[in-house]
Amino acid sequence: MGRNYFNMESSGIKSMRFKHKRIIVTGASSGIGRAISKRLSVEGAELLVIGRNADQLKNLCEEISTAGGYAKFLVCDLSKEENRKTLCESISEIWHDKIDILINAAGIYSMEAIRNNTPDLWYQLMEINVIAPADLLSKLVLKLAKGAVVVNISSVAGIVATPGSSVYASTKAAILSFTRSAAAELAKRGIRVNAILPGMVKTPMMETMFRFFTKEQQIELEKRHLLGFGTVEDIASAVSFIASHEAKWITGCAFVVDGGLSLS
Ligand SMILES: NC(=O)c1ccc[n+]([C@@H]2O[C@H](COP(=O)([O-])OP(=O)(O)OC[C@H]3O[C@@H](n4cnc5c(N)ncnc54)[C@H](OP(=O)(O)O)[C@@H]3O)[C@@H](O)[C@H]2O)c1
């Protein structure tokens, strides 16, 4: 991704719709979470970016800061409840009681035949893809401002079946279901909760996934995406919309951003 991404004129992004908005992004050290952080920063957000890889997070914050934005990072392995508790305490110390937007993009993938699915694999994926985002919301919900927004990055895998993805797909369906329940429960406080369901997008996760596919299978999979594979910016654009005031009447939504995969 070139530095031009930060140039509002060349990127065509004109809005500062997230000015003064305090936004938390998990999974910000890589791929989709990183692109979301950059995009929202261009649109004026104050960011707390979270991941495990301190160097990558530092590099992201430096890029954002050089481009005139604001971002701080917190390192956290989200797979443990005690770490999530410490993280939320740190967030509260930095931002007291005003969080406007929480974006849960951290996630992990697995590709296994059903005969190889072990309870450990289930626990591992459930912890990061479902329990961590749900637990962060539980721990931060009282700190969310009126009219706050939560965006969970699910996957089209949660609604479209693929052999080998049973564990991953189940976790992505689970976070989608959690999103709907949370939206119903929190609407009375004006808090919107939505899920984005990306199709395949070029990131380190997709590269890992592709190790399981032959060249022919990769081409076939790309064809099933009627508009081809996506980019991280495609997902960041969708998040920018759904998190913004323009989407103020949208909650509990499964926003499919998949280049037409689910139509094929
Ligand atoms: N790429 C796709 O085609 C695609 C399609 C549909 C949905 N998604 C979803 O999009 C989200 C982002 O995926 P991506 O493609 O951007 O993958 P990625 O490049 O591999 O990034 C994954 C992110 O999750 C973080 N993460 C993983 N385990 C963590 C842990 N234990 N604690 C804290 N952070 C952790 C990583 O942080 P560190 O590197 O710092 O550990 C990294 O920032 C995931 O939820 C994924 O399921 C991706």
Side-chain angles (χ1 to χ4, degrees):
M1 201 181 309
R3 294 269 297 120
N4 275 350
Y5 192 65
F6 284 96
N7 182 321
M8 288 179 72
E9 271 170 36
S10 65
S11 66
I13 299 165
K14 300 218 164 33
S15 145
M16 285 294 278
R17 58 186 169 185
F18 297 111
K19 196 162 192 311
H20 303 308
K21 296 287 183 200
R22 291 175 164 181
I23 302 182
I24 296 166
V25 183
T26 73
S29 49
S30 178
I32 290 172
R34 188 178 173 89
I36 293 169
S37 305
K38 287 182 171 192
R39 168 68 191 247
L40 302 187
S41 164
V42 169
E43 295 182 289
E46 290 176 31
L47 289 160
L48 271 185
V49 294
I50 293 152
R52 284 175 302 186
N53 187 323
D55 289 342
Q56 295 270 70
L57 292 169
K58 190 162 174 277
N59 168 281
L60 171 66
C61 290
E62 281 168 4
E63 269 194 58
I64 287 175
S65 163
T66 306
Y70 171 96
K72 278 189 176 178
F73 70 91
L74 292 170
V75 174
C76 179
D77 179 347
L78 292 166
S79 67
K80 295 194 173 56
E81 208 260 343
E82 71 219 51
N83 297 350
R84 297 192 292 264
K85 188 166 174 285
T86 308
L87 172 72
C88 292
E89 285 164 4
S90 304
I91 291 170
S92 297
E93 272 169 32
I94 297 169
W95 276 349
H96 308 289
D97 285 339
K98 188 187 177 279
I99 298 162
D100 295 295
I101 299 174
L102 168 64
I103 297 168
N104 289 302
I108 52 174
Y109 178 78
S110 74
M111 173 66 87
E112 284 294 350
I114 286 172
R115 65 178 178 279
N116 296 329
N117 287 346
T118 59
D120 273 354
L121 183 68
W122 278 98
Y123 295 139
Q124 212 185 330
L125 267 81
M126 284 298 289
E127 191 76 50
I128 298 298
N129 294 355
V130 186
I131 298 172
D135 190 36
L136 284 187
L137 180 56
S138 300
K139 289 179 172 20
L140 294 173
V141 69
L142 296 179
K143 315 267 178 203
L144 292 183
K146 189 174 184 325
V149 185
V150 179
V151 182
N152 293 321
I153 306 300
S154 170
S155 169
V156 77
I159 56 168
V160 174
T162 311
S165 292
S166 55
V167 177
Y168 178 73
S170 300
T171 65
K172 291 301 179 177
I175 193 63
L176 181 53
S177 182
F178 174 78
T179 299
R180 290 207 185 97
S181 299
E185 188 173 321
L186 298 177
K188 60 180 181 294
R189 280 181 55 202
I191 296 172
R192 299 188 295 109
V193 189
N194 288 293
I196 303 276
L197 279 58
M200 288 197 78
V201 168
K202 290 163 197 158
T203 67
M205 180 184 281
M206 179 170 155
E207 280 163 28
T208 311
M209 246 183 258
F210 264 21
R211 290 197 208 121
F212 298 97
F213 297 127
T214 62
K215 193 73 201 158
E216 291 69 35
Q217 286 171 324
Q218 292 176 22
I219 292 167
E220 190 49 38
L221 189 56
E222 178 149 29
K223 276 195 205 143
R224 286 179 60 204
H225 291 71
L226 306 181
L227 301 177
F229 291 138
T231 65
V232 288
E233 289 82 9
D234 293 324
I235 307 305
S237 296
V239 171
S240 169
F241 167 70
I242 208 89
S244 77
H245 188 67
E246 279 183 80
K248 66 181 172 39
W249 207 48
I250 303 177
T251 196
C253 166
F255 195 3
V256 177
V257 188
D258 70 346
L261 171 68
S262 49
L263 304 173
S264 66

